[in-house]
Amino acid sequence: RSGRNRWLPHGFSSGRYLTLIFRHFTGTIKIDQAGILASRPPMPPVASFHCERPALNDVWRVCARSQWVGTQEALMDCPTREQAAYVGDGLLVGKWLFYLSGDARHWRHLIREMFAVQSSDGLIKTQVFSGMKGILLDYLLLAIVGVRDYWQATEDRDTLREILPAADRLIDWFMRRTDDAGLFNIPIESLPSRIGWVTPPSSAEATFEECGYILFIDHPGTGWHNIAEPGLERKGQNTALNALYGIALRSMAVIHRAVGTADAAERYEAESRRVNAASHRFWDRRKGLFSDGRMGDHL
């Protein structure tokens, strides 16, 4: 319209608006001011880095700034595309924010929210603050590993005690699906894989019956974000998922020992040793490497 106009895009837009298009307009246009608003939490950095190589100093500054740009009221995957926190990514963002600022509030908030909504059989949302209902199997386990990291960095027992019952129910979901060697034994291809969106539950009790299950580990092989990379073979009994399962069992032992429940810690430690002892099933002696997994007797 004629006169003075002020336009502000809704939501976070990063630097995407590079062109302004004026349709069905005649006359003179003068742009008085253009700019980008930045939002950062009040977490001044306490960490620093400097060396004699300017390129490394620039890398440090870019990485440190990325932590702040990607953090609004809560941690998020990216400011424009997915304004949610995937467990596996978000835990690392929270961890590095803590190391940069000495402030554990965002990390603690994510830890608590990960376990705030849980299905009746123990599953949690792997995309926190999101309506997405796809379950990333490896991120379920990384949620537990992330709690261990949080405890080792902060020694916050109160948060551990708060989330521990839910963490026990979550790891039990895996334990109930193991074979005689203790390995997670549900063929990945047998799980429903559709994903979509759910209406947030009205209470803390959620139902995930229609969720799709995805073994993520990394993008290659999942069918998206691929640029001709060699993909992981996810079918059958998966090596990486069982490795994470063993690490999560050891993490549960650390968490229980921290809150003083030694008997439970010993049970988890014993189970982790059993899983580790079975890792030879995935070892390819001919190549001297771990395979992606097993289908029957075939690596």
Side-chain angles (χ1 to χ4, degrees):
R1 60 179 174 80
S2 61
R4 190 180 185 91
N5 292 267
R6 183 173 183 268
W7 176 69
L8 184 69
H10 67 279
F12 308 119
S13 58
S14 188
R16 291 188 177 191
Y17 291 95
L18 305 179
T19 305
L20 295 178
I21 300 173
F22 300 90
R23 294 186 176 91
H24 311 298
F25 182 87
T26 58
T28 301
I29 296 174
K30 178 185 177 184
I31 298 178
D32 290 315
Q33 187 179 40
I36 296 176
L37 301 177
S39 176
R40 297 183 182 181
M43 301 168 70
V46 296
S48 61
F49 174 84
H50 182 77
C51 70
E52 295 180 356
R53 294 178 61 185
L56 292 182
N57 294 329
D58 288 342
V59 168
W60 161 262
R61 283 192 292 269
V62 168
C63 291
R65 183 178 181 275
S66 295
Q67 300 297 318
W68 266 261
V69 171
T71 305
Q72 305 293 331
E73 291 82 3
L75 300 167
M76 61 178 62
D77 183 271
C78 46
T80 56
R81 179 172 168 267
E82 294 175 295
Q83 293 178 29
Y86 284 78
V87 164
D89 312 54
L91 285 166
L92 293 176
V93 175
K95 182 177 182 177
W96 283 105
L97 271 175
F98 171 72
Y99 286 142
L100 282 168
S101 67
D103 192 330
R105 286 177 297 168
H106 277 270
W107 198 3
R108 181 173 63 250
H109 181 51
L110 179 61
I111 293 287
R112 296 180 70 220
E113 287 300 312
M114 286 191 311
F115 293 97
V117 176
Q118 190 170 36
S119 70
S120 57
D121 62 352
L123 293 175
I124 63 173
K125 292 176 64 176
T126 50
Q127 298 89 324
V128 186
F129 318 120
S130 167
M132 199 170 186
K133 63 180 179 182
I135 298 294
L136 304 183
L137 289 168
D138 45 320
Y139 278 20
L140 293 172
L141 296 169
L142 286 173
I144 294 171
V145 177
V147 173
R148 179 206 64 188
D149 291 348
Y150 174 79
W151 155 250
Q152 291 175 339
T154 66
E155 297 188 353
D156 175 6
R157 282 191 179 84
D158 291 339
T159 299
L160 257 62
R161 293 189 181 98
E162 178 183 342
I163 62 89
L164 188 51
D168 280 323
R169 289 191 293 270
L170 173 57
I171 198 71
D172 184 63
W173 186 90
F174 285 88
M175 296 179 74
R176 287 184 279 112
R177 290 161 174 81
T178 57
D179 62 14
D180 56 356
L183 297 171
F184 184 74
N185 197 39
I186 304 299
I188 302 302
E189 69 275 13
S190 70
L191 295 168
S193 60
R194 66 182 182 276
I195 60 175
W197 299 90
V198 294
T199 302
S202 57
S203 68
E205 184 63 31
T207 56
F208 296 150
E209 282 79 2
E210 297 181 2
C211 285
Y213 298 85
I214 300 170
L215 177 59
F216 184 61
I217 301 294
D218 200 359
H219 281 102
T222 55
W224 72 89
H225 290 300
N226 291 342
I227 313 176
E229 307 101 325
L232 291 169
E233 175 55 76
R234 289 167 168 79
K235 294 178 182 177
Q237 194 173 36
N238 186 268
T239 306
L241 188 65
N242 272 288
L244 283 176
Y245 176 48
I247 294 169
L249 287 167
R250 291 198 299 275
S251 299
M252 287 297 298
V254 171
I255 296 166
H256 271 280
R257 210 169 288 285
V259 300
T261 46
D263 290 346
E266 290 173 5
R267 288 197 303 273
Y268 284 123
E269 284 173 349
E271 194 64 21
S272 72
R273 288 193 295 269
R274 198 159 75 100
V275 172
N276 194 51
S279 62
H280 66 87
R281 291 189 180 186
F282 303 107
W283 181 252
D284 188 327
R285 286 181 292 178
R286 183 174 59 85
K287 295 182 177 179
L289 298 167
F290 278 106
S291 62
D292 287 344
R294 292 188 71 94
M295 294 190 71
D297 294 328
H298 175 67
L299 291 176

